[in-house]
Amino acid sequence: MLALDIEITPFSNPARRFKTKGIWDTGATGSVITQEVADVLGIKPIGKANVNTVGISDFTTDRYMVDIFLKADVRVQGAEVTVGKIASDMGFHCLIGMDIITLGDFSITNFEGNTCLSFRLPSRHQIDYVLQMNRELDIVKQHFNSGKNVNTPCSCGSGKKFKNCHGRDWETGGVPKIVLRNYRKLRCIEDFRGAQSRGN
């Protein structure tokens, strides 16, 4: 579960604030608050909405208009939310759905085992990790196909040695080191299982 500290206020009235944790849910079409948020902020419904959840299909609930501060300087103004059940006993009173996520650039990384959720508003440019990896792979292939080694300058033109630049994350065959490590682990498991089945 990915969650961040957020603040919810009545629409265009930041004086009253409800501090909580917001769950980022790419599987949710719309954003949701608990009834407790609506009660504490003293906001009135702007209408009704038919919603579907994992456990309940097509039920009617109240709609509210709020401002959501994802950070002190990132404000989603006039967000239309519905009321629903969230894990409020665990401190979660807001579910941030795709209606808000698609307003900006949303990214999740897990570099060196540290999960990082990033969001910026408004969207500034497309982030395509697959395209980026393919471009890096092209540089790696170009480097080795030209007969260079890891101690020669990188083919990208940075002036750094290949091993300290694009070669940092790649094996000689153009395979990402993390993929190769996982492949080697898998091969060890398969070899062990094969030896077990042969009775070795």
Side-chain angles (χ1 to χ4, degrees), residues 2 8 26 33 52 64 72 81 110 112 121 157 165 184 189 191:
L2 295 167
I8 305 168
T26 58
I33 60 172
N52 295 294
Y64 293 90
V81 297
N110 195 41
E112 295 182 345
L121 192 66
C165 192
R184 286 174 179 152
I189 292 168
D191 290 345

Side-chain angles (χ1 to χ4, degrees), residues 79-199:
E80 286 194 23
V81 297
T82 56
V83 167
K85 292 185 178 178
I86 309 171
S88 56
D89 56 324
M90 297 171 61
F92 302 109
H93 290 273
C94 182
L95 186 144
I96 299 163
M98 290 302 290
D99 58 328
I100 290 177
I101 293 171
T102 55
L103 296 175
D105 296 325
F106 177 74
S107 176
I108 302 170
T109 57
N110 195 41
F111 183 65
E112 295 182 345
N114 295 316
T115 302
C116 177
L117 182 155
S118 298
F119 183 76
R120 66 181 172 199
L121 192 66
S123 178
R124 293 202 181 96
H125 64 85
Q126 185 177 19
I127 300 169
D128 188 334
Y129 295 119
V130 174
L131 180 62
Q132 181 182 346
M133 190 174 80
N134 286 338
R135 286 179 180 157
E136 290 176 2
L137 181 56
D138 287 343
I139 292 170
V140 171
K141 285 179 179 176
Q142 177 188 351
H143 188 87
F144 287 116
N145 289 342
S146 64
K148 297 178 181 177
N149 64 43
V150 295
N151 290 309
T152 55
C154 186
S155 296
C156 74
S158 68
K160 297 178 183 177
K161 287 185 178 181
F162 179 77
K163 67 181 180 183
N164 297 325
C165 192
H166 279 82
R168 185 178 54 235
D169 298 323
W170 297 84
E171 292 287 333
T172 304
V175 179
K177 288 182 180 177
I178 186 70
V179 172
L180 204 60
R181 279 198 300 269
N182 289 340
Y183 174 76
R184 286 174 179 152
K185 286 179 189 173
L186 184 62
R187 290 296 307 161
C188 289
I189 292 168
E190 287 175 353
D191 290 345
F192 177 73
R193 287 181 179 158
Q196 280 188 320
S197 65
R198 291 190 299 272

